[in-house]
Amino acid sequence: MFQKVLIANRGEIAVRIVRACRELGIRTVAVFSEADRTALHAQIADEAVCIGPARTADSYLNIRAILAACELTGADAIHPGFGFLSENAAFARTCEKCGVTFIGPTPEAMELMGDKATAKTTMKNAGVPVVPGSDGLVTTLAQAKVIAEEVGYPVMVKAAAGGGGRGIRKVDTPDQLEDAITAAKQEAKNFFGDDGVYLEKFIVNPRHVEIQLLADNFGNVIHLGERDCSLQRRNQKVLEESPCPIMTPSLRKAMGEAAVRAAKACGYRNAGTVEFLLSGKDFYFMEMNTRIQVEHPITEMVTGVDLVKRQIRIAAGLPLELKQSDIVLHGHAIECRINAETPSLNFRPSPGRVQGLHMPGGPGIRIDSAMYQGFEITPYYDSMIAKLIAYAPTREEAFMKMKWALAEFLVEGVDTNIDFQLNLIKDPDVEAGAYDIGFLGRHPDLIPKGPAV
Ligand code: ADP
Ligand code: ADP
Ligand code: MG
């Protein structure tokens, strides 16, 4: 097992990883930017190293500074968390070259899945259902027109290097195709420095259902059930639940097996997630996230498996030990992402000092957060300040628990989306599980109008 792990991240996920390391008897090193001197992750780790100015390019994305911190402290492994360098194959490769274990998949698997057009082709060849569309990139308008006619409008133009919902354009009619391609290419170039785009059929009102995987270095791959992440705002997840409210055992088996095939097809190891669009009984591979995900706690609650501890054990070369038959889902878990933002002002980030704070608790309530009273939320990073997770034996009880936990949650000094989440959890359609990825777009009425609390 590792002696010392460096955590190349910040916020709640860095704190989460410190806790997992402690339970495994591993010492921890936090890295922090100048803007994060008083951040919780830097305070609770055994050691903390400043890696540069606030700007992410100078700190949390600064590979040299992070590896220097590793050298300085003698850490033997790096956990990248999510976001930042977590899906950067070059970083994983550099870690290996420096003799530091990257807690994640191989750089080769990350590369294979990082290009979404290539990943689709790999999946198709492995017998995993994919959204109908182009085989690889589209290079000319004429070619795009032919493919769009074949699969039928509406279609999606998507950036091969895409992430975070960027570089995606919907096209309803042939005359919009050229402009959509130009716009998607432009956005992809700006965000990812790569203007490759591909085309796929627009699936009308599907659900976003993803399968959590664990794979070790010995060819063992298991899935840990699904998460429904359909409640999205501009392709960003807002509230997630596990199990998916409309899941059936046979569909879970089919999706789980497809996800395992996907992992095997790219020689995957460590934790990963395969995202699918579910439309009726049909499901289509969308992409693979080669990292731990924001919403991993709901899977932990229903499976009883600590995914972060598993990631570390796998990276240390230990066998998985869990078999597929060991994974039994119990109860129901919901996660609400709590952000410092003002919903009524188009969800504008709301940085500032947390003047007063009361976090809910009680049986079945879990909070993953790096926030404390007096904490200064800086404008430099993601606005997510906490993940509120409710777990109960049944979905009804989990919803009831979440409702009261949200009502009890008090953050003073900054605006939050807590009231928005409360409106969402109280919505009869959400409560009935009758929602899809278009739900929030169709319900601007759920956004609180007055000053946010
Ligand atoms: P997930 O499926 O884990 O929610 P998303 O596709 O929503 O992932 O987003 C990609 C990841 O990048 C997320 O984990 C998100 O939190 C992270 N991320 C996005 N922006 C930032 C940022 N500014 N700082 C840190 N992490 C970020
Ligand atoms: P990213 O890499 O930015 O996360 P994804 O490929 O995962 O991009 O797509 C993000 C979201 O966009 C999905 O969760 C879904 O809501 C929507 N989406 C993507 N592809 C399609 C499609 N073919 N049809 C309908 N919606 C789609
Ligand atoms: Mg995605």
Side-chain angles (χ1 to χ4, degrees), residues 338 358-361 364-367 388-390 398-410 418 422:
I338 308 300
H358 167 73
M359 299 213 235
I365 292 296
R366 165 175 171 182
I367 294 181
L388 174 59
I389 299 117
F399 264 71
M400 195 57 103
K401 237 183 238 293
M402 180 58 93
K403 233 179 262 181
W404 287 105
L406 284 165
E408 204 185 302
F409 209 143
L410 200 70
I418 292 173
L422 204 48

Side-chain angles (χ1 to χ4, degrees), residues 423 427 440 442-449:
N423 288 346
D427 182 90
L440 284 182
R442 295 192 299 272
H443 284 277
D445 50 299
L446 293 174
I447 302 169
K449 282 175 195 66

Side-chain angles (χ1 to χ4, degrees), residues 353-358 371-375 412:
R353 187 175 298 278
V354 178
Q355 309 279 9
L357 179 65
H358 167 73
M371 174 171 50
Y372 55 85
Q373 190 154 345
F375 175 60
E412 286 172 346

Side-chain angles (χ1 to χ4, degrees), residues 67-214:
L67 284 164
C70 217
E71 177 75 29
L72 192 73
T73 55
D76 43 8
I78 294 185
H79 195 306
F82 53 68
F84 297 128
L85 294 168
S86 62
E87 296 188 275
N88 186 318
F91 177 60
R93 196 163 273 133
T94 309
C95 288
E96 276 182 5
K97 275 198 195 130
C98 296
V100 179
T101 304
F102 176 83
I103 302 176
T106 60
E108 291 75 26
M110 287 163 83
E111 264 158 7
L112 209 54
M113 288 297 127
D115 183 309
K116 292 166 71 179
T118 318
K120 265 186 83 176
T121 309
T122 309
M123 291 305 123
K124 202 172 161 184
N125 294 340
V128 178
V130 300
V131 186
S134 60
D135 276 322
L137 299 180
V138 287
T139 45
T140 66
L141 181 61
Q143 181 201 4
K145 282 219 156 113
V146 173
I147 294 160
E149 290 298 338
E150 260 170 36
V151 301
Y153 287 90
V155 295
M156 289 283 247
V157 181
K158 294 172 76 171
R166 305 278 180 190
I168 299 182
R169 288 289 182 284
K170 183 183 170 207
V171 185
D172 292 305
T173 51
D175 57 301
Q176 298 171 350
L177 193 56
E178 186 168 12
D179 286 352
I181 291 175
T182 310
K185 274 183 173 293
Q186 189 61 49
E187 195 169 300
K189 182 96 193 150
N190 286 347
F191 277 93
F192 316 111
D194 173 352
D195 72 351
V197 295
Y198 62 105
L199 210 79
E200 64 186 30
K201 186 166 178 59
F202 178 81
I203 310 292
V204 181
N205 297 338
R207 297 178 85 108
H208 172 122
V209 178
E210 57 184 36
I211 303 282
Q212 176 70 51
L213 295 170
L214 279 175

Side-chain angles (χ1 to χ4, degrees), residues 202-266:
F202 178 81
I203 310 292
V204 181
N205 297 338
R207 297 178 85 108
H208 172 122
V209 178
E210 57 184 36
I211 303 282
Q212 176 70 51
L213 295 170
L214 279 175
D216 67 11
N217 297 311
F218 309 97
N220 301 305
V221 187
I222 59 165
H223 74 84
L224 294 97
E226 78 285 352
R227 295 183 286 259
D228 192 317
C229 311
S230 304
L231 289 169
Q232 303 181 356
R233 204 189 138 260
R234 303 201 173 147
N235 302 325
Q236 291 265 28
K237 300 163 186 169
V238 174
L239 182 157
E240 305 96 351
E241 60 177 316
S242 180
C244 162
I246 61 153
M247 188 52 72
T248 62
S250 61
L251 182 60
R252 177 178 296 125
K253 186 164 183 287
M255 292 183 81
E257 284 171 2
V260 168
R261 267 204 307 285
K264 288 189 169 161
C266 66

